[in-house]
Amino acid sequence: TYHLAGIYLQHQLPLDSEQRFELVSGARYTFARAEADRVKNPETGKPFRLADEWQDVVGSLRGVARLGEQGASAVYAGVSQGFRAPNLSDLTRLDIARSNELETPTSNLDPEHYLSFEIGARIDLSPVRIEAAAYRTLIDGMIVRAPTGRILEQGLVEVVKRNAGDGYVQGIEGRVDIALSPAWSLWTQAAWMEGEVDGYPDSTTALRRKPVSRLLPPTVRAGLKWASANGRWWVEGLGEAAEKADRLSAADRRDTQRIPQGGTPSYAVAHLRAGGRVHDRLLIVAAVENLFDADYRIHGSGVNEPGRNFVLSSALEF
């Protein structure tokens, strides 16, 4: 069993009479307790009992400035803490972890802690709307898999969990929406991130700093949409593309079931969707996903995405 309880408090403080400037502060108390009555000892084969609990208080602070008429534009900056207690999988797993690895139970883990900084803006320059954000997260004690040096049956490498991952993740995200005409609109969004964290790239006890596992590669999405004057009918073409994901951790390189050697290949796919409200209460949507039947995989996934896919859906409101 796993017990989880939390209390969250938030305070919004206007800094001016027009409420254009605001300070938002928050705090959260979290309690977690894990109890496992029967956990298999991989060395003796006998069961043992495991129980532990954790608690912490984290806080957040964000400032917002609303600009322009009716606050259509805004800028913000904030800092926040994060806390994650070990879960039952971290503590009790006895199963295949990645290619050629067997993870065994670990009973002495501590929580992970994070400290995030972010800054962003939303700018309304009708008919153009721009959103952008940048962030950096500091990682303290992230739970990572560590080889013990033991080779088990069938040549499997034994790994356990440890609070050894110190590092960071940072990135930028953005989106642009353009109203080309009353009927046509165009949007595009992009994301880029990088990060490094300490880990154990081999069976030794030496910590090394490597890229964070399964980092999102530079990714772009875009769409062009037409809508009828009354808004009842619409057609939209979508496209998305990602660069080759070759910034791999040592664990990613060993995980050949999910990630091909050298990294996940780049891809570009297109989708076409159309829909309409045929009745005030009935909505119908049709789509052709992966229009050109591309063979691709989301980085870190264990399977390729579907090929050309036809979807017909409807919603009835009453």
Side-chain angles (χ1 to χ4, degrees), residues 48-65:
F48 68 94
R49 186 177 186 275
L50 183 152
D52 206 346
E53 63 183 44
W54 310 269
Q55 55 186 328
D56 203 354
V57 176
V58 296
S60 63
L61 183 65
R62 171 178 294 207
V64 181

Side-chain angles (χ1 to χ4, degrees), residues 147-163:
T148 65
R150 294 180 60 205
I151 305 299
L152 306 176
E153 295 180 4
Q154 301 177 347
L156 294 175
V157 176
E158 183 186 43
V159 296
V160 295
K161 294 289 184 62
R162 294 180 183 172
N163 290 99

Side-chain angles (χ1 to χ4, degrees), residues 252-306:
D252 291 341
R253 297 183 188 279
R254 294 194 298 268
D255 192 8
T256 54
Q257 292 179 342
R258 293 182 177 87
I259 302 174
Q261 290 187 356
T264 303
S266 61
Y267 64 85
V269 293
H271 316 289
L272 183 63
R273 298 172 183 158
R277 190 169 289 277
V278 298
H279 186 274
D280 289 343
R281 298 181 181 275
L282 179 61
L283 176 67
I284 295 179
V285 178
V288 183
E289 299 175 340
N290 196 353
L291 188 62
F292 301 109
D293 201 25
D295 188 15
Y296 73 105
R297 174 178 295 193
I298 304 298
H299 182 50
S301 171
V303 296
N304 287 5
E305 293 297 299

Side-chain angles (χ1 to χ4, degrees), residues 157-221:
V157 176
E158 183 186 43
V159 296
V160 295
K161 294 289 184 62
R162 294 180 183 172
N163 290 99
D166 295 341
Y168 72 93
V169 174
Q170 62 188 14
I172 54 176
E173 299 177 0
R175 179 180 173 111
V176 178
D177 291 85
I178 305 174
L180 301 174
S181 71
W184 291 91
S185 59
L186 173 70
W187 62 267
T188 182
Q189 62 185 48
W192 169 89
M193 68 184 304
E194 68 164 3
E196 293 184 336
V197 67
D198 295 334
Y200 297 90
D202 48 46
S203 59
T204 70
T205 58
L207 275 173
R208 298 180 187 176
R209 181 155 290 196
K210 297 290 183 179
V212 172
S213 179
R214 303 176 190 175
L215 274 175
L216 174 77
T219 302
V220 177
R221 302 181 69 222

